[in-house]
Structure formats: structure tokens, C-alpha cells
Amino acid sequence: MNPNKALWEKGDFTRIAASMRESGAALVEQLGISKDHRVLDLGCGDGTTALPAAKLAGSVLGVDIASNLVAAGQRRAQEAGLQNLRFQEGDAINLQGLPDKSFDISISCFGAMFAPDPFSVAKELVRVTKPGGKIVMGNWIPGDPTLVAQLLKTSAAYTPPPPEGFISPMTWGVESNVTERFGAAGIAPDKITFLRDTFTFRYPGPPAEFLGLFHAYYGPTMNAFEAAAKNGKDAELQRELEQLFISHNQSGRPDQTVIPATFLRVTVTV
């Protein structure tokens, strides 16, 4: 199986995504989506941005590599009565079946950044977006002191080295890399803008319990705990991540979790 597909089908990201809904809707509200727009959400998960986009757009297509997340998105769309929203399986590095110049707005929040070939991701996003349309990406930032970058950094320290040629998804959080990748797809640097933005995780329980969801359902964290256990270091990893989650909690209450995480918002005019 495709390793990226296996990673995201391993757990159940819907359990994490439930804590991201408010920020997903807030981001979509800022994108200027209207009823005459056709929108692509690439690496959509179960629809954290696709569902609020469908309430504004003429039509939305959510594409994700994980079949379980596609099925979850379809269920959420049906429950919400959004007949202009559909989900399908697809790989961000090869959007076969999607015609050129199909979408007015193409979105990917913390999705396409995890695909293994970033230049192909940029090429495909540009290919399927209409001239004059825009691409919006949300990418985690390497070395950032907030939650997700530190979670992934800590998890990586407990897992075996990646295979030769592996390109870290975190490289999408570096502006020069983004400019280079879209430049190779024919986009001039002055057509790309960057903004530091925030996604806030909200969970109705204590931070250690919220971490438990990542341990049980988030592929990268699951892999880290499995590798740590083989080396007798799973308790050490647990302590380190618990401290991370507790120290970043801004709810002001030990029984509630509110954790902001900084990301790089990329906007590309095609």
C-alpha cells in the first residue's frame, strides 16, 4: 500500500478533526467564497474546511487519500444536507480524473503538505485551478514553538529515520520552499503571499485526555508510540507529550483544553 495512504488510514483523524471545526470555519469565511465558485479541498479529511465551504460555494469537491476519511466526510455532508458537496479518494501528487482549470478556489489545510512529492503537489494544484483563481494552503511550520510543530518534532525523535530521499512535510512551512515549488509550476513569486495564522484546538476535557486521542488515532503519534515501546521509551514519550499539551493549554482550566497552533497560510493567484 502507498505509505502515505497507510499512515492516514491507520488511525481515525476524525477524532482529532472534531477539535478543529471552529478554526476551519473561521478560515473559510475569510476566503471570499461565493455561490458562483467551484471549490476543491485537497487532503480534506472528513471536511473541516469542505463543509463550511459548501455552505458558501456553488459546489465543493473534497479529495483525500484515506478511504475512511472520505467515507466520514460523505456521512457528514449527508447529515448536514449539503447536496453540493461530495468526497472522493485521490492522491495530491496525481489528481487523475480532475480536468485542467476546474476550480475557482483550491484549498489544502494540513493535507497536501503530507504528500511525498511536493513539486507534484504544486503542479497539480496549479493545473486544476482556473486562471485568475486562487490556491490557499495551510502548512505547519518547522521549529515553530506551538503545539503541532513540537508534537511532530518530538514524535520524530522517537521513530526510526525516514527512508532515503524522504522530504519532510514540514518543509511546506518554509516560504522559500513554497516559492520554489510553485515557481516550478509556472507561478511568479509576486503571485504568492504569506501570512502567519492560527488554528485553535478545542477539546472538552483535560490536555492529557486530548493527548490520548493523538496516541490512539493520529498516525504519526501512533507510530511514535509504537517505536518508543520497542525501545522501552513509551513512558518517556508519554511524559514529554503530556508536558507539551499541558504547558500549551490556554483554557485557564485543567478540565478544558484550548491550544492555539501557528501555521503558514499561503495564497497563490493562478
Side-chain angles (χ1 to χ4, degrees):
M1 181 187 283
N2 178 316
N4 199 38
K5 182 177 176 68
L7 175 68
W8 296 107
E9 289 185 351
K10 181 171 186 170
D12 182 7
F13 188 72
T14 64
R15 304 292 291 268
I16 313 298
S19 68
M20 304 170 69
R21 305 296 189 209
E22 190 174 312
S23 284
L27 174 63
V28 166
E29 289 284 348
Q30 300 174 42
L31 301 184
I33 298 171
S34 66
K35 287 296 181 186
D36 58 352
H37 284 152
R38 190 170 182 221
V39 176
L40 169 68
D41 190 345
L42 183 58
C44 60
D46 69 342
T48 296
T49 46
L51 261 77
K55 295 175 182 178
L56 302 172
S59 68
V60 177
L61 173 64
V63 175
D64 201 278
I65 199 167
S67 58
N68 57 328
L69 299 181
V70 168
Q74 290 170 336
R75 287 193 296 271
R76 293 189 68 221
Q78 289 168 1
E79 290 166 3
L82 293 169
Q83 297 183 0
N84 64 332
L85 170 60
R86 64 186 182 90
F87 291 81
Q88 68 182 45
E89 282 187 55
D91 193 331
I93 66 174
N94 183 10
L95 295 171
Q96 55 185 353
L98 295 189
D100 296 357
K101 305 173 184 176
S102 300
F103 300 97
D104 300 284
I105 301 175
S106 297
I107 305 168
S108 187
C109 283
F110 324 123
M113 67 173 286
F114 287 96
D117 181 350
F119 283 89
S120 292
V121 168
K123 182 180 178 181
E124 285 293 81
L125 280 169
V126 171
R127 180 182 69 78
V128 302
T129 306
K130 295 178 181 177
K134 65 182 176 182
I135 298 163
V136 179
M137 293 186 77
N139 302 324
W140 302 121
I141 303 166
D144 187 82
T146 57
L147 179 73
V148 179
Q150 292 303 309
L151 171 66
L152 293 171
K153 179 182 178 181
T154 301
S155 297
Y158 285 83
T159 52
E164 187 176 349
F166 173 80
I167 300 172
S168 168
M170 301 299 285
T171 59
W172 271 111
V174 178
E175 294 181 12
S176 58
N177 290 338
V178 175
T179 301
E180 180 186 17
R181 291 162 186 179
F182 281 107
I187 302 296
D190 63 357
K191 298 292 186 180
I192 308 170
T193 61
F194 301 98
L195 175 69
R196 289 292 198 280
D197 207 341
T198 301
F199 240 72
T200 301
F201 295 86
R202 300 180 185 276
Y203 179 73
E209 187 178 300
F210 187 40
L211 168 60
L213 294 184
F214 284 81
H215 187 169
Y217 300 111
Y218 185 60
T221 311
M222 294 168 72
N223 285 346
F225 272 101
E226 288 171 10
K230 291 178 182 177
N231 297 314
K233 294 185 175 182
D234 46 329
E236 181 183 326
L237 175 59
Q238 177 71 26
R239 285 192 299 271
E240 197 170 340
L241 290 182
E242 274 194 22
Q243 179 56 36
L244 176 68
F245 275 64
I246 291 168
S247 65
H248 282 76
N249 182 25
Q250 295 189 6
S251 71
R253 297 175 50 176
D255 61 341
Q256 299 284 324
T257 305
V258 176
I259 301 180
T262 303
F263 70 96
L264 181 68
R265 193 206 296 187
V266 178
T267 303
V268 178
T269 303
V270 178

